[in-house]
Amino acid sequence: MSTLDAGLIDRFIEVVGTKNALTVEDDRTRYTEENRFIFKGVTPLVLKPGNTEEVAAIVRLANETGTAIVPQGGNTGHAAGAQPDESGDQIVVSLERMNAIREIDPQANTMVVEAGVILETLQQTADGQDRLFPLSLSSQGSCQIGGNISTNAGGVAVLSYGNTRNLVLGLEVVTAAGDIWNGLRKLKKDNTGYDLRDLFIGAEGTIGIITAATVKLFPKPKGRVAAFAGLASVSDCLALLQQAQALAGKSLTGFEFMPSIGMESVTHAFETVRNPLAGKHDWYVLMEISSTRSEQDAMEMSESLLHDAQEARIISDAVVAQNESQRQAFWEIRELMPASQKMLGGSIKHDISVPVHLVPEFLERAEPLVHSVDPGARIFAFGHMGDGNIHYNVSQPEDAGDDWYLTKRELINDPVHQLVVAMGGSISAEHGIGKLKRDLLAETKSPVELEMMRSIKRALDPNNIMNPGKVV
Amino acid sequence: MSTLDAGLIDRFIEVVGTKNALTVEDDRTRYTEENRFIFKGVTPLVLKPGNTEEVAAIVRLANETGTAIVPQGGNTGHAAGAQPDESGDQIVVSLERMNAIREIDPQANTMVVEAGVILETLQQTADGQDRLFPLSLSSQGSCQIGGNISTNAGGVAVLSYGNTRNLVLGLEVVTAAGDIWNGLRKLKKDNTGYDLRDLFIGAEGTIGIITAATVKLFPKPKGRVAAFAGLASVSDCLALLQQAQALAGKSLTGFEFMPSIGMESVTHAFETVRNPLAGKHDWYVLMEISSTRSEQDAMEMSESLLHDAQEARIISDAVVAQNESQRQAFWEIRELMPASQKMLGGSIKHDISVPVHLVPEFLERAEPLVHSVDPGARIFAFGHMGDGNIHYNVSQPEDAGDDWYLTKRELINDPVHQLVVAMGGSISAEHGIGKLKRDLLAETKSPVELEMMRSIKRALDPNNIMNPGKVV
């Protein structure tokens, strides 16, 4: 299938050695399949370089021969950004073997990690030094930090600690020319020219390959208290958020909202999971308050907040986790939302954001748009309320067939995304663009912005070898 | 002097109208002089556009005719980034008339401001809505937010709130082609392609002109307590910082250090200023703790911290401000450091940063380098310890003449900057590059990084009309 010359393939294999190159079809599936199974990629070759010099040698060869390469981390993305296309001419470069933790410096609160380090390993290593690496998302057991950085991953700790972008101090990058840029800085302040770091973060491997990073560590909170609340409306969720931020400021480290359909699905699908509250509610909020002072301090803040919110009739009911296993049980409910939604059949997803205070308005305006397409469609909206980031997913009606997803997808996507744009929102809050939303990006961005992105792409990757067909 | 054609000048004037264009020599001085009086700029024309469309029309004309333009805010920068060169062929575009606050949205915690808004006006407007805009620096009475953003300004609140970069959600920019990019977003999360916002922030007007911005507001702390401590060494200052961060986390909103020579100069030069501590100390720390809960909470944190630090013999003496005027008096000492240093005569300055925990090591290693050039040179190092940002200034010996600065500047600059680079630091932590450090940038950055910057400059400003001769 591939039109790549066998001699050329051999030259690429030579860089990493035969045992670090996959050429047999079966071996390569996990590098070509993507999360949503919408696109089917094909590749003649998966390369697994063991160090930065090998990555640079691969890119130089690709540049010299005009061969397209696709950098890949844990391949857990939701936007089809890390798979080859269908041509069979794109070579996958997996960073998985570059998984060393080069340095951990608890005094500087930094760690230098290679791109292939699994996020969970990074978290655990920091924890072992009594430090926190706050990035936290459901695929953390298999996603890699290089992919997290290349997609500027979000997750459940953004509210207090920011996106991945905010957790990175420096980068090591192999440029599209095959040069190595050592930008592994540990500085809080550095105003020396253009911000290349932030340009590579979130660029999804289209202008270079991130091979290592200096990441920030944080003091581990001394206390962390989770609370679970039932509420009557999204407006009440917003009111609770504002009250929590006013009281706890940056100590509010998590604020997730979930719909009643989510609670029903998750308790139905997973026998061990139960609703922490006695009654049913239209909305649920999982919120977490952390204290740098003490467990008691976090508990006092949480209780004082819930007391005030109950007085103000913002929440109907609430419960505070009394120990670590209860805290984890609360989070499990949130983390199982996507899996439980899968049980409801086909799902049309939107990873969108709006200004935080407009979340209720967005949900109110989006609902009739969805139901005018299909009155039986089940809206399953949840996510990172504190960031204005809604996973605005729509499950098929109970009686719908397997083709529902395909026939309704565009009909529902289009008005939802138009509403997002009209409300000043983002059509990809945390999952990125990849191949999935490349056309949507072109439709929703201004020509001025698109042209600047394309100019940068042309300037930094003139031969268009870096993950072509993605983002821009 | 200028070789610009009179007809061309008239075309530029036509865009803004005669009364918004300065052509008489005397009028233009404040637009051509720079802070340090090292460079003498000349311009035939200062334009003061009144809106974004006028800025765009100016840039289009400049692009069409290959005329160099120099965007300018309050002209308070320390790196000669906002003045024309000596050719007389560069036109200054002052944003001062674009000083509208377009929107303030306390619920969203955002404000949309035009580039020419004075920083202090912005702070006060936020304050009037019970919100905090934390950017705070000594020139806030005259610097403009557009300049702050274009230089990614630092200041005294970076420790908790970050640089200007971290305070900006969206931008409106006139590109070098004269197009208007409306990127005035209010989103906490937006993963849609390359991070153009962060590229323009800190680019010092070399790839476009920032005309407006959406900035973040914060809840106003309910309590804010300043403490002033005397310490025996910089290592003790670092130990105090670490203790304060462990206890207060993000509630530690300020941590500045000053040397004994600073306290002596400032109390000597300004009669109304007095040392808050009874005795003399080798080092002083001004530290501020803010609470989103209450004044009492901030006070308790401060006292508990100082108690622990005194127990651990980290601090020799300390006093907590008992009211707002005492708090301001503490800050005045810090803010008068540069002015008091001026009284000591010529000064060779370095705006550098190193990883925070290396501040003591840097000072220890830099001292013999300076004194080997001139044993009488007086090291006057102060600044934002919490960010690793040292204003490593060197005052002339007491008996030195007026030529000291010129004869010693390079001899002292070179080894100091070499040490900074060797320690993984930045040669411009917060002041930017401008014209002052353009050559130094080329000497200290890797060729790979420089070439990427130049590629971006060429791609976004192919005719090199945007602030040429600055940064790259």
Side-chain angles (χ1 to χ4, degrees):
Chain A
M1 294 226 281
S2 170
T3 62
L4 289 188
D5 178 78
L8 178 60
I9 288 186
D10 284 345
R11 288 177 70 192
F12 276 107
I13 294 173
E14 214 168 280
V15 176
V16 296
T18 319
K19 71 177 199 301
N20 298 312
L22 300 180
T23 52
V24 181
E25 181 65 39
D26 283 353
D27 282 329
R28 299 191 305 266
T29 328
R30 82 173 175 89
Y31 299 92
T32 55
E33 276 180 355
E34 52 87 21
N35 217 296
R36 308 285 310 276
F37 302 105
I38 298 173
F39 303 106
K40 266 209 170 313
V42 183
T43 188
L45 186 61
V46 176
L47 297 172
K48 302 181 185 182
N51 56 51
T52 309
E53 287 68 28
E54 286 182 9
V55 176
I58 292 169
V59 179
R60 278 198 302 274
L61 182 56
N63 203 31
E64 178 197 321
T65 58
T67 312
I69 51 180
V70 181
Q72 191 176 95
N75 197 16
T76 61
H78 290 285
Q83 300 81 33
D85 67 11
E86 295 165 16
S87 69
D89 292 340
Q90 300 188 331
I91 292 176
V92 172
V93 179
S94 168
L95 279 294
E96 67 193 85
R97 285 180 62 233
M98 287 190 62
N99 61 358
I101 289 175
R102 291 192 193 162
E103 184 196 288
I104 175 157
D105 187 340
Q107 228 205 334
N109 276 319
T110 57
M111 239 167 120
V112 180
V113 294
E114 290 187 343
V117 174
I118 303 285
L119 175 54
E120 206 164 65
T121 308
L122 207 168
Q123 293 166 343
Q124 287 163 354
T125 311
D127 192 71
Q129 301 281 335
D130 202 31
R131 292 293 183 277
L132 173 75
F133 183 67
L135 183 65
S136 176
L137 33 97
S138 56
S139 59
Q140 60 198 29
S142 57
C143 66
Q144 295 168 16
I145 188 66
N148 298 145
I149 297 172
S150 288
T151 58
N152 184 29
V156 295
V158 174
L159 182 60
S160 180
Y161 297 97
N163 293 304
T164 303
R165 182 180 302 290
N166 301 101
L167 305 175
V168 175
L169 286 170
L171 292 178
E172 178 187 86
V173 170
V174 172
T175 71
D179 292 319
I180 299 169
W181 171 44
N182 182 345
L184 288 173
R185 288 159 198 150
K186 289 186 181 181
L187 303 170
K188 299 224 167 155
K189 278 169 128 178
D190 179 25
N191 266 355
T192 51
Y194 303 152
D195 182 9
L196 298 175
R197 177 190 65 197
D198 282 308
L199 192 59
F200 283 105
I201 297 174
E204 303 185 34
T206 60
I207 48 176
I209 302 183
I210 294 170
T211 49
T214 310
V215 299
K216 290 185 204 172
L217 303 180
F218 295 81
K220 234 160 73 177
K222 293 217 176 65
R224 199 154 60 162
V225 169
F228 210 95
L231 304 94
S233 70
V234 185
S235 301
D236 284 343
C237 298
L238 178 65
L240 180 62
L241 170 67
Q242 290 171 335
Q243 210 165 40
Q245 286 184 310
L247 179 93
K250 287 280 178 188
S251 299
L252 181 70
T253 48
F255 198 98
E256 302 285 311
F257 78 125
M258 293 158 275
S260 58
I261 187 176
M263 182 61 83
E264 282 157 26
S265 316
V266 79
T267 48
H268 184 258
F270 301 93
E271 272 183 25
T272 56
V273 176
R274 59 179 207 80
N275 183 347
L277 303 175
K280 280 187 172 185
H281 301 271
D282 284 342
W283 293 94
Y284 298 89
V285 162
L286 167 55
M287 125 186 126
E288 193 162 272
I289 287 181
S290 302
S291 170
T292 46
R293 294 186 242 174
S294 65
E295 183 76 26
Q296 195 200 334
D297 185 49
M299 187 57 90
E300 280 170 13
M301 273 193 274
S302 305
E303 284 174 347
S304 142
L305 172 64
L306 293 178
H307 175 266
D308 292 352
Q310 225 140 8
E311 289 265 295
R313 296 175 186 274
I314 290 170
I315 56 178
S316 314
D317 191 12
V319 57
V320 168
Q322 295 301 319
N323 52 47
E324 179 60 18
S325 74
Q326 268 186 24
R327 193 185 75 83
Q328 286 180 9
F330 288 3
W331 274 107
E332 198 186 7
I333 297 172
R334 166 63 184 87
E335 278 153 16
L336 287 173
M337 283 290 128
S340 77
Q341 202 210 346
K342 226 172 236 175
M343 313 279 188
L344 304 181
S347 164
I348 296 166
K349 299 186 177 184
H350 312 83
D351 166 40
I352 65 103
S353 72
V354 291
V356 180
H357 66 296
L358 298 182
V359 169
E361 183 187 330
F362 173 81
L363 291 173
E364 200 177 310
R365 290 173 67 180
E367 187 266 323
L369 301 176
V370 170
H371 285 150
S372 75
V373 176
D374 189 335
R378 290 172 290 175
I379 295 169
F380 194 119
F382 65 99
H384 319 295
M385 176 132 193
D387 313 315
N389 181 186
I390 313 165
H391 296 304
Y392 191 77
N393 297 350
V394 182
S395 284
Q396 65 181 44
E398 290 194 38
D399 52 357
D402 282 350
D403 61 342
W404 183 85
Y405 171 81
L406 284 176
T407 56
K408 304 293 184 201
R409 189 174 146 218
E410 280 184 29
L411 294 176
I412 288 181
N413 272 173
D414 289 351
V416 168
H417 285 140
Q418 277 164 26
L419 176 62
V420 168
V421 172
M423 290 182 69
S426 169
I427 52 107
S428 188
E430 62 173 9
H431 294 164
I433 299 299
K435 184 169 171 173
L436 183 69
K437 292 186 180 172
R438 190 188 176 210
D439 293 341
L440 183 61
L441 186 81
E443 286 162 26
T444 51
K445 286 272 178 195
S446 73
V448 175
E449 187 168 356
L450 275 176
E451 184 44 37
M452 282 195 283
M453 288 187 190
R454 288 173 183 150
S455 296
I456 291 167
K457 167 73 174 174
R458 284 190 299 263
L460 296 183
D461 178 22
N463 297 326
N464 195 26
I465 58 159
M466 295 302 310
N467 212 2
K470 312 289 164 56
V471 187
V472 287
Chain B
M1 294 224 282
S2 170
T3 63
L4 290 188
D5 179 79
L8 178 60
I9 289 186
D10 285 343
R11 287 177 69 191
F12 276 107
I13 294 173
E14 214 167 283
V15 175
V16 296
T18 319
K19 70 179 201 300
N20 299 313
L22 299 181
T23 52
V24 181
E25 182 64 40
D26 283 352
D27 283 328
R28 299 190 305 264
T29 328
R30 81 172 176 91
Y31 299 92
T32 54
E33 277 180 354
E34 53 87 20
N35 217 296
R36 307 286 308 276
F37 303 104
I38 297 172
F39 303 106
K40 267 210 169 309
V42 183
T43 188
L45 186 61
V46 176
L47 297 172
K48 302 181 186 180
N51 56 52
T52 309
E53 288 68 30
E54 287 183 7
V55 176
I58 292 168
V59 180
R60 278 197 303 273
L61 181 57
N63 202 32
E64 179 198 319
T65 58
T67 313
I69 51 181
V70 180
Q72 190 177 95
N75 197 16
T76 61
H78 291 285
Q83 299 80 33
D85 67 12
E86 295 165 17
S87 69
D89 292 340
Q90 301 189 332
I91 292 176
V92 172
V93 180
S94 167
L95 278 295
E96 67 194 82
R97 286 181 60 233
M98 287 191 61
N99 62 358
I101 289 175
R102 290 193 193 162
E103 184 196 288
I104 173 156
D105 187 340
Q107 228 205 334
N109 275 320
T110 57
M111 239 167 120
V112 180
V113 294
E114 291 187 343
V117 174
I118 303 285
L119 175 54
E120 206 165 66
T121 308
L122 208 167
Q123 293 166 343
Q124 286 164 354
T125 310
D127 192 71
Q129 301 282 334
D130 201 31
R131 293 292 182 280
L132 174 75
F133 183 67
L135 183 65
S136 176
L137 32 97
S138 56
S139 59
Q140 59 198 29
S142 56
C143 66
Q144 295 167 16
I145 188 67
N148 298 145
I149 297 171
S150 287
T151 58
N152 184 29
V156 295
V158 174
L159 182 60
S160 180
Y161 297 97
N163 294 304
T164 303
R165 183 180 300 292
N166 301 101
L167 305 175
V168 175
L169 286 170
L171 292 178
E172 179 187 87
V173 170
V174 171
T175 71
D179 292 319
I180 299 169
W181 171 44
N182 182 345
L184 288 173
R185 288 159 197 149
K186 289 185 182 181
L187 303 170
K188 300 225 166 153
K189 280 168 126 177
D190 178 26
N191 265 355
T192 52
Y194 303 152
D195 182 8
L196 299 176
R197 177 190 64 199
D198 282 307
L199 191 59
F200 283 105
I201 297 173
E204 303 185 33
T206 60
I207 47 176
I209 302 182
I210 294 170
T211 49
T214 309
V215 299
K216 290 185 203 172
L217 304 179
F218 295 80
K220 236 160 73 180
K222 292 217 176 64
R224 199 153 61 160
V225 169
F228 210 94
L231 303 93
S233 70
V234 185
S235 300
D236 284 343
C237 298
L238 178 65
L240 180 62
L241 171 67
Q242 289 171 335
Q243 211 166 38
Q245 285 185 309
L247 178 93
K250 287 279 176 189
S251 299
L252 181 70
T253 48
F255 198 98
E256 302 286 312
F257 77 125
M258 291 157 277
S260 59
I261 187 176
M263 182 62 83
E264 282 157 27
S265 316
V266 79
T267 47
H268 183 259
F270 302 92
E271 273 183 24
T272 56
V273 176
R274 59 178 208 83
N275 183 347
L277 303 174
K280 280 188 174 188
H281 302 272
D282 284 341
W283 293 93
Y284 298 89
V285 162
L286 167 55
M287 143 180 111
E288 193 163 272
I289 287 181
S290 302
S291 169
T292 46
R293 295 185 241 174
S294 64
E295 183 74 27
Q296 193 201 336
D297 185 50
M299 186 58 88
E300 279 170 14
M301 273 193 274
S302 304
E303 285 174 347
S304 143
L305 172 64
L306 292 178
H307 175 264
D308 293 353
Q310 226 141 4
E311 290 266 295
R313 296 175 186 276
I314 291 170
I315 56 178
S316 315
D317 191 11
V319 57
V320 168
Q322 294 301 318
N323 51 48
E324 178 60 19
S325 75
Q326 267 188 25
R327 193 185 76 83
Q328 286 180 9
F330 288 4
W331 275 106
E332 197 187 6
I333 297 171
R334 166 61 185 85
E335 278 153 16
L336 287 172
M337 283 291 127
S340 77
Q341 203 210 345
K342 226 173 238 175
M343 314 278 188
L344 304 181
S347 164
I348 297 165
K349 299 187 177 186
H350 312 83
D351 166 41
I352 65 104
S353 72
V354 291
V356 180
H357 66 296
L358 299 182
V359 169
E361 183 187 330
F362 173 81
L363 290 173
E364 199 175 311
R365 290 172 66 180
E367 187 265 323
L369 301 176
V370 170
H371 286 151
S372 76
V373 176
D374 188 336
R378 291 173 290 175
I379 296 168
F380 194 120
F382 65 98
H384 319 294
M385 176 133 193
D387 313 316
N389 181 185
I390 313 164
H391 295 303
Y392 192 76
N393 298 349
V394 181
S395 284
Q396 65 182 45
E398 289 191 40
D399 52 356
D402 283 348
D403 61 342
W404 184 84
Y405 171 82
L406 284 176
T407 56
K408 304 292 184 201
R409 188 173 147 217
E410 280 185 29
L411 295 175
I412 288 181
N413 273 172
D414 288 352
V416 169
H417 285 139
Q418 278 164 26
L419 176 62
V420 169
V421 172
M423 290 181 70
S426 169
I427 52 107
S428 189
E430 62 174 11
H431 294 165
I433 298 300
K435 184 170 170 171
L436 183 69
K437 292 187 178 170
R438 190 187 176 209
D439 293 342
L440 184 61
L441 186 81
E443 286 161 26
T444 50
K445 287 273 176 193
S446 74
V448 176
E449 187 168 356
L450 275 177
E451 183 44 36
M452 282 195 282
M453 288 186 191
R454 288 173 182 151
S455 297
I456 290 168
K457 167 74 174 172
R458 285 191 298 264
L460 297 183
D461 178 21
N463 297 325
N464 195 27
I465 57 159
M466 296 301 312
N467 212 3
K470 312 289 165 53
V471 187
V472 287

